Amino acid sequence: FQLNEAGTAYCRVTRTDSGETTLLINQVLSANYGAEVLTPSATGYITVDKLENRDSKVLYEAAQYDVYCWAKDSAVDTQSAARPNYMTQDYLDLATAGRTTPAGGKTQYVWVKDMTPPTVIYVSSEALTQSIIQITLQLSEPGTVWCHPAVPETTGAYATTHLDIGDVVEGNYIERIKGMHASFREYVHVPFFNVDVEVDKVDVEDGSGSDYLLQETPYNIYCFAEDDWRIEAQYAGDLSINFDVANAATPNMTQGDGNEISLAHAEEIRDAIGIVTTLDLTPPSITMVDISSGETTITVTLRLDETGTAWCQAVRYDFNVPTILEILDTNFYNTYTFDPLSPTDTTTVELIGYDRPKNAYNDYVSPLVLGVDYDVYCYADDDLCQGCKVTNGVSFSHVSNTRTFIRTKDYTRPHMRYITAESIARDQILVTLQVDEGSRVWCAAWQNAPTPPFADTAAAIAAIKAKQDDCFDGRGRACGSFWIYDLDDLEDSDGDGVNSQTDYDEWDRWKYNQDVDIIMYGLTEEQDYEYIYCYAEDDETPINTMRFDSSANPGPDNMHTMQQEIGTVQTLDESPPSFTRLALEDPTFYNDRMIVTFQLNEAGTAYCRVTRTDSGETTLLINQVLSANYGAEVLTPSATGYITVDKLENRDSKVLYEAAQYDVYCWAKDSAVDTQSAARPNYMTQDYLDLATAGRTTPAGGKTQYVWVKDMTPPTVIYVSSEALTQSIIQITLQLSEPGTVWCHPAVPETTGAYATTHLDIGDVVEGNYIERIKGMHASFREYVHVPFFNVDVEVDKVDVEDGSGSDYLLQETPYNIYCFAEDDWRIEAQYAGDLSINFDVANAATPNMTQGDGNEISLAHAEEIRDAIGIVTTLDLTPPSITMVDISSGETTITVTLRLDETGTAWCQAVRYDFNVPTILEILDTNFYNTYTFDPLSPTDTTTVELIGYDRPKNAYNDYVSPLVLGVDYDVYCYADDDLCQGCKVTNGVSFSHVSNTRTFIRTKDYTRPHMRYITAESIARDQILVTLQVDEGSRVWCAAWQNAPTPPFADTAAAIAAIKAKQDDCFDGRGRACGSFWIYDLDDLEDSDGDGVNSQTDYDEWDRWKYNQDVDIIMYGLTEEQDYEYIYCYAEDDETPINTMRFDSSANPGPDNMHTMQQEIGTVQTLDESPPSFTRLALEDPTFYNDRMIVTFQLNEAG
């Protein structure tokens, strides 16, 4: 820079892309970059390497900056002190017009040169295909990247003819990596952002051409990068007036427009990438050479066109082609090593099974089955190539094309397995067997050995087939007309009716190694069949048959062995039993069970179950009878059995109910057995079970209805509650455990005394008469109980006289015992039931607990238990007490009420302000001022006192807080009372609200307290006035007076002080202009007293000009002297009580708010105002003035000012 005069220049830069459009002068100075020139022709230099000199970071390469320069000159003032002139902010903001004619201080768009090559960052690399390798890189700045593969070694045919790592050297590395023929380039626009370079060719040695990369071949990868510095600078949107593209050159530019990486950096990237091998993506090819089989093996001979592994699997002929995973899962495989010198070599894969069931062990394979058609399929994959993720396996189409047919050999006779044999009907025997291959089957049965005996296999086959008209399978098809199928039947001709999986899966197809049912018909009932033969022949050509050999070769292919395993089978007995006798005692002998007597027409077992006749069940199923688990067995038709039933089911905990009718269901089964001697009884039918018995010895059915279980238990009386309802009625609530009748009767609790002597008492109820005394000889109180365990109320209001000739009403508030008696209605209920069983006899209904009537009676002990449970019940007292107010008195904070009641009880009293509303009973109880009263008939005028110390409990106060009584206030007192809770009463009897209202009694609390005055403030408000603001704590009148000096004569006592103060009342007024002594300060008591004070209502009290107690009152004293100290200001108050309470005067003792002297001390000295303006008493100046630039005034005033 140069300046037009000596001075100092300062510069600061900011990034052009920072968004700053100006820099303030103080920002330029704070950068602290500057230089001074001493003459206009001198050139200055400012080097800026940071935004501010104190920063740690230098300016960014390849970034544009705006440069702001500002200067001040070196001007000085007259005394040679620096007095510089500054360039303006506008000049600083003005863009320069040229280097030598700048006309401003801002130079925009100046480039900082980029001299650093980019850094190449290796991210990843992989072979994508057999000829494509992808390299993922990042650059540290925008630029361009090239990559090129190279052969990793420098010797060998491939390295000799193509670019190898020895060909890339310092002098040519840029052009060799960029590619002399094949070039692989990517532009990098964003630094540190992945870019993928894919290479698929390598240059030939001399660069005249290029070839695709070879499959499964290793390569090194070179990468080269340069930034786009010169292009970026030259073609920026804006350039400074100083820009010269020649200045963009750097030492790291040799060929292009950017800074280039070095060979060393390119080799670092090569080494980081390492060797990358292209992929092998071609699967091998399978050639099926040969196939052979045994009964349980298949051997496949094949070859591949490269080294790999082959797997083979057999499936049933014409089944679906197995998936590749299924072939791999069976895991029958062998490896194959390809030898280019012997390409026809083969390998073998041996199969011993055809699949692995999903629910089997991992090493289990379903074995091949002899004599079965199979298709064999093979799969192969090559070995994993270097760098490959997976091996290359042949396609499913290729697997399908390997299909090769083979059938396993079958040289074996059919094998038959005996499962079970049994007679399933009186003329049928069922044999269940299995055969291990496709076959036809016959069976035949003889009671005795066939005649003639079987000489050989052919004779046995002929004899068995001769009985095929009585031989059928379990689906009704004649033996010899149906097949047992194996999977081979899907593959052979359709002559056997099966030619597809659908045919094979039909529900009526017997399958090999599965149960087959063969039934022999036309047999005799309940006979032993010792000789049962079964025979099978397969579907092979020639046929394989079972043999007959009774002396040798035992096994599953020998008919004799099968006969021995089946053994002897007896045809069934299928006739059910019947009852020949069925009887019960009715009503039952016991009260918790019934005994059934029975006989059967054959050996067997009978079962019985009962159900309540009123249960709604009109039938019981056989399984319900059995589940009751009550039964007995008879071994011969003449034997008698007994079944005792005491519950609905044997496992129940509850026995049968007394006094209940039951229907009895009996059912039987005989003792027949099946072929295995296991019980196979014949059962009575449901119809027989449901048929009502016709007689004891000719039942003809199993159901006996309406049998009574005897009731031998008296009812249980359950006490629920008891209470006196009135002064003469007691109610007892009871329950019975069963239907019946209940009586109750009161009795006097003691046996002595006038009342007990003349009326029934507890000593009169004894064992010999308790029933008639409780039922009542004159007054009877009875209730019928129709529903057990249901409340019934018995009300008694009389008690029999001693001899039972009469009865009297119960007495008020008198204790009684209550006796109760009950009996059930057992005999009546049994005899007159709507339905009775054929076994019923009324004589059986009698019980030991019937003495007078038709029911079971409770004992005296139980009646006494109920009496004791009820306890003493006292009749009620329902009359409240009466209150008599005797006297009332008060203190300042207490009221004492004297009263009496006409019975024992408790009295509560409450005071309310005079003529306020009558308090509610709850409010009286809430204040909780009470006392008890004990009534003495011998001294009925006795009194009690209730002392009150408050008049209400505020709702938002603590529970134990009561608003205290206020002295000198008129109150009304109201009282409430209730009697003590009588025995058996639920609540006490309290007086009515009307009665409370009638107890109203007037009382006024005493007031012996002097008015208390509180000083608030005092001030002079005019030259002849002083205002005193004060408060008084009760209704009062107030006077104030002021003296400059102590009053003369001094106040000798209170009376003298009052007289002196009142003597100055003509100069004393309140703040509303009323003379002292003519207005009142009001308290709430003024609402209640006479209206002589002008206040007789809340409206009067609330008038705006009414002074209130404990609120500020303004008193003004007039006629005072201007600007004088008034040291003696006295204020005095007297209340509105009779006699009047006055404030005192005592200058030597008793300080406090009721002392006029204390008030005077608190007020202190007050000076009246000065309201006259001042005047000069001297005013002079020296003229002409002593000084030439000022004047001095001399003055005096008539007062300070």
Side-chain angles (χ1 to χ4, degrees), residues 597-613:
T597 303
F598 74 95
Q599 292 178 347
L600 294 174
N601 66 336
E602 62 178 313
T605 304
Y607 299 87
C608 294
R609 179 179 183 139
V610 301
T611 182
R612 286 276 295 252
T613 299

Side-chain angles (χ1 to χ4, degrees), residues 642-848:
Y642 302 93
I643 300 173
T644 299
V645 180
D646 61 346
K647 305 166 190 166
L648 294 184
E649 293 193 352
N650 200 304
R651 62 185 174 181
D652 291 346
S653 59
K654 298 291 186 181
V655 298
L656 301 183
Y657 286 104
E658 291 184 313
Q661 276 184 301
Y662 287 86
D663 295 340
V664 184
Y665 289 79
C666 292
W667 172 90
K669 63 179 181 180
D670 64 16
S671 298
V673 295
D674 65 8
T675 307
Q676 287 78 33
S677 297
R680 189 186 185 278
N682 298 295
Y683 304 116
M684 284 182 177
T685 65
Q686 183 69 42
D687 289 341
Y688 189 93
L689 173 64
D690 290 338
L691 196 61
T693 56
R696 296 186 177 192
T697 57
T698 57
K703 179 165 74 172
T704 305
Q705 293 177 282
Y706 315 122
V707 179
W708 279 104
V709 175
K710 182 179 289 183
D711 184 357
M712 299 174 65
T713 304
T716 298
V717 181
I718 302 166
Y719 169 63
V720 178
S721 64
S722 58
E723 63 177 327
L725 298 183
T726 69
Q727 299 182 150
S728 63
I729 298 176
I730 295 173
Q731 181 188 75
I732 308 95
T733 301
L734 306 169
Q735 293 179 359
L736 292 187
S737 60
E738 58 181 308
T741 308
V742 64
W743 291 262
C744 291
H745 204 93
V748 180
E750 58 266 334
T751 57
T752 59
Y755 195 41
T757 303
T758 58
H759 291 80
L760 179 68
D761 62 56
I762 58 174
D764 298 329
V765 181
V766 296
E767 185 67 48
N769 68 2
Y770 76 96
I771 295 177
E772 64 181 356
R773 294 316 301 255
I774 298 174
K775 284 185 174 182
M777 296 178 70
H778 187 268
S780 185
F781 308 103
R782 177 184 60 193
E783 289 293 336
Y784 295 107
V785 179
H786 304 291
V787 181
F789 302 106
F790 194 83
N791 287 359
V792 63
D793 298 328
V794 182
E795 294 184 1
V796 300
D797 63 352
K798 290 184 176 182
V799 58
D800 279 354
V801 297
E802 179 78 15
D803 60 2
S805 60
S807 59
D808 292 321
Y809 284 106
L810 303 183
L811 300 179
Q812 170 183 332
E813 204 166 0
T814 302
Y816 291 94
N817 275 119
I818 307 295
Y819 281 94
C820 292
F821 169 78
E823 66 182 20
D824 62 22
D825 53 6
W826 155 238
R827 180 149 47 196
I828 297 170
E829 184 180 0
Q831 185 173 357
Y832 297 103
D835 296 288
L836 296 171
S837 83
I838 61 173
N839 300 287
F840 184 78
D841 184 352
V842 71
N844 291 337
T847 76

Side-chain angles (χ1 to χ4, degrees), residues 602-641:
E602 62 178 313
T605 304
Y607 299 87
C608 294
R609 179 179 183 139
V610 301
T611 182
R612 286 276 295 252
T613 299
D614 57 4
S615 69
E617 292 182 290
T618 57
T619 184
L620 288 181
L621 300 178
I622 293 170
N623 65 327
Q624 291 177 285
V625 176
L626 292 172
S627 68
N629 200 22
Y630 290 110
E633 183 181 13
V634 291
L635 302 179
T636 64
S638 60
T640 300

Side-chain angles (χ1 to χ4, degrees), residues 321-372:
V321 181
T323 65
I324 292 172
L325 287 178
E326 288 173 328
I327 296 173
L328 294 172
D329 189 49
T330 54
N331 208 30
F332 298 119
Y333 69 92
N334 207 344
T335 58
Y336 181 83
T337 303
F338 180 75
D339 183 357
L341 301 178
S342 182
T344 60
D345 288 352
T346 61
T347 188
T348 59
V349 179
E350 184 174 9
L351 287 66
I352 60 172
Y354 63 94
D355 75 352
R356 293 189 182 277
K358 291 183 173 56
N359 58 350
Y361 294 108
N362 291 336
D363 59 354
Y364 176 78
V365 63
S366 300
L368 296 172
V369 182
L370 55 85
V372 173

